[in-house]
Amino acid sequence: MTTYFYQYIPIFKALADETRLKIVHMLTCESMCANDILDCFSMTQPSLSYHMKVLTDCGLVNAKRQKGFTMYSVDGARLKSVTALLEEFSDGMEINKN
């Protein structure tokens, strides 16, 4: 059994929420400030802050201060590592079918 799975647990927990999953999807298209993200949802600013904290704490989203705004973007390397893990699972399924 692979012992490095522990590093993916916070990411999968973060992505288990529909709102955060939508936010990550939006951020794969472009970097956005909190106000632009908030415009796409019917939630309060404190609620958005909570979701962004979960996403940044797990390392899937980067936050960078620019001219009084916080710009959010997906951490491409972290997302690719999750994709690689899922591909590993998929490859294992193919091996077991034969």
Side-chain angles (χ1 to χ4, degrees):
M1 177 145 180
T2 308
T3 58
Y4 62 89
F5 289 153
Y6 69 91
Q7 67 186 347
Y8 294 98
I9 293 170
I11 295 172
F12 286 115
K13 283 184 178 182
L15 293 175
D17 179 87
E18 183 178 6
T19 298
R20 291 191 290 269
L21 195 57
K22 287 177 181 178
I23 291 169
V24 170
H25 182 255
M26 290 167 42
L27 294 176
T28 60
C29 298
E30 64 179 316
S31 296
M32 299 176 78
C33 71
N35 289 338
D36 290 340
I37 297 169
L38 198 54
D39 287 344
C40 298
F41 296 92
S42 57
M43 73 173 87
T44 63
Q45 192 279 327
S47 293
L48 178 64
S49 291
Y50 168 76
H51 288 297
M52 298 315 295
K53 180 169 176 28
V54 171
L55 290 169
T56 56
D57 283 354
C58 77
L60 196 54
V61 171
N62 296 318
K64 184 177 181 181
R65 294 286 296 170
Q66 290 181 342
K67 299 179 184 176
F69 293 96
T70 302
M71 294 298 294
Y72 294 98
S73 60
V74 169
D75 184 317
R78 190 84 161 137
L79 185 60
K80 285 181 182 180
S81 73
V82 173
T83 303
L85 176 68
L86 295 175
E87 286 175 355
E88 230 180 270
F89 291 169
S90 180
D91 291 345
M93 289 176 59
E94 292 300 317
I95 292 169
N96 289 330
K97 282 185 181 179
N98 296 329

